[in-house]
Amino acid sequence: FSLDRSQSRSWLAGVAVDPSNSKRLLAGTITRGDYGGLFESKDGAKSWTQIAGTGDGQYLLDSGLGHDAWPISLDKSDKFVLVGGMTGSAWLSEDRGLRFRPTQPGGPGVYRAYAMTPMASGEVFLAESRGLWRSGDRGATWGKEALLTGRCLSVDVDTGNRKQVYAVMEGQ
């Protein structure tokens, strides 16, 4: 997953399956400055194309996304993609991952995203270096303050009761 199709493999952070099409997969990297970003497979992982991030090509530069693209949260509408990274905790795409804009909870800064829940009816939770955040509009806006403060390492929701949210907080 890089210019030579091999160097970023060790930096691949994970894969997300599109909830509206199981053949479409998105893979994200955390590369710490190397080429990387968001990769897409439309054929169940038989082939991959880099669709956003850093590398050769004007379309990558125009994507607005840096070399980090993990964690990933997808919306069932097959339109919205939200990714995090090491140098910005939230980046929103409204065109299936081709162009991104920052939507940092709590304002701009250098914060690390650790985990995101899958989107459901526009709701998504973000575990990041300052705490646990909630968005009700697919990550376009976030609460002014974290729901829980401190380093939030992981988050998940009960699929049967989305009001039940579980978070792992460092030192707590």
Side-chain angles (χ1 to χ4, degrees):
F1 302 122
S2 67
L3 293 176
D4 68 1
R5 298 284 188 222
S6 66
Q7 290 180 351
S8 292
R9 285 184 188 151
S10 62
W11 299 107
L12 186 64
V15 175
V17 178
D18 187 327
S20 65
N21 176 2
S22 63
K23 296 266 187 204
R24 181 174 181 247
L25 309 172
L26 293 179
T29 62
I30 296 179
T31 64
R32 299 182 192 261
D34 298 326
Y35 287 110
L38 191 64
F39 296 80
E40 177 184 52
S41 174
K42 295 179 181 178
D43 56 14
K46 292 178 185 168
S47 62
W48 292 89
T49 302
Q50 185 175 6
I51 60 171
T54 58
D56 291 337
Q58 186 65 37
Y59 72 99
L60 292 177
L61 183 63
D62 291 344
S63 73
L65 186 67
H67 48 78
D68 295 335
W70 186 259
I72 300 170
S73 182
L74 302 169
D75 183 70
K76 288 183 181 180
S77 73
D78 194 33
K79 177 180 174 186
F80 297 95
V81 178
L82 186 65
V83 302
M86 297 280 290
T87 58
S89 58
W91 300 84
L92 175 65
S93 171
E94 298 179 25
D95 61 3
R96 305 187 81 222
L98 299 178
R99 286 179 301 280
F100 286 84
R101 65 180 173 86
T103 65
Q104 309 303 340
V110 179
Y111 308 106
R112 179 178 179 182
Y114 292 104
M116 285 185 204
T117 61
M119 288 186 211
S121 301
E123 183 178 58
V124 61
F125 291 89
L126 167 67
E128 59 115 77
S129 55
R130 294 170 297 158
L132 176 66
W133 298 85
R134 179 193 173 277
S135 173
D137 57 8
R138 297 174 179 88
T141 60
W142 300 88
K144 293 182 187 219
E145 296 183 11
L147 299 173
L148 298 171
T149 57
R151 189 179 306 265
C152 185
L153 302 173
S154 184
V155 63
D156 207 349
V157 294
D158 181 336
T159 55
N161 176 12
R162 284 198 56 94
K163 292 182 180 183
Q164 184 64 52
V165 180
Y166 301 94
V168 175
M169 303 296 292
E170 184 176 80
Q172 297 180 27

